[in-house]
Amino acid sequence: MGSQWGKDKYYNKSRSEGYRSRAAYKLLDIQKRFGIIRDDDNIVDLGAAPGSWMQVLRDMTSGAIVGVDLNPIAPIENTIQITGDFTTEKIQEKIISHIHEVNVVVCDASPKLSGSKSYDQARAIGLNHEAFEFARRVLKPGGNFVIKSFQGEMFSELLNDIRESFYSVKVYRTTASRRGSTETYIIAKNFRGYHGAPD
Ligand SMILES: C[S@@+](CC[C@H](N)C(=O)[O-])C[C@H]1O[C@@H](n2cnc3c(N)ncnc32)[C@H](O)[C@@H]1O
């Protein structure tokens, strides 16, 4: 198998350092560059399975951490795991019931790929919008939001929407992303506050 999908250096590193997936290094890289998490932040992690971002987050903050995924997340000490679809009202209410004030929302969710590029892109951006709306609803003013997206159709529209809600927004491709992937992270800092649903 070639290096694009094979067991690359991040896979091996994650095994030896006890992380559940290589994705851990993406969040570590983002934190190093952008300092999105403070040491007492309460955090919601959307699309969190198998849980490597939650492992990283647990070392970054003493605050509450709630992770949600369609697939069950094996327990991580002092965190809450929810199984379900974060785009539904029921699961969103469940998340909120566990966490008093949300300082940071991170979202590494991606839909299952169908193989059709434009269909997959539309679904990914649709999921991004759902995560963004949830973040707008729960974040405290001044809070931060990090989301995985994919360069392509409708990306710039999503980015513009996020720019309207945060004072600082950057687009970042981590060195831990696989070569050739269009995966891109949007790092949005300093939430302006919720002013109702968009038009
Ligand atoms: C790349 S994985 C996340 C890896 C994770 N950040 C980690 O470090 O272990 C993407 C996850 O998004 C989840 N996902 C996709 N759509 C979702 C939805 N609507 N609700 C909850 N989870 C979702 C998938 O089940 C999958 O586990």
Side-chain angles (χ1 to χ4, degrees), residues 20-27 45-56 68-73 82-88 91 106-112 123 127 130 148 183 185:
R20 294 177 182 181
S21 95
R22 65 195 297 293
Y25 300 101
K26 301 176 189 178
L27 186 58
D45 183 353
L46 302 174
S52 71
W53 278 29
M54 290 181 77
Q55 291 178 292
V56 167
V68 50
D69 203 286
L70 295 170
N71 299 313
I73 306 161
I82 295 171
T83 304
D85 181 344
F86 73 75
T87 68
T88 64
I91 294 297
V106 294
C107 177
D108 195 32
S110 31
K112 270 208 176 114
R123 283 186 62 220
L127 194 61
E130 298 270 6
K148 176 171 71 188
E183 177 178 284
Y185 287 84

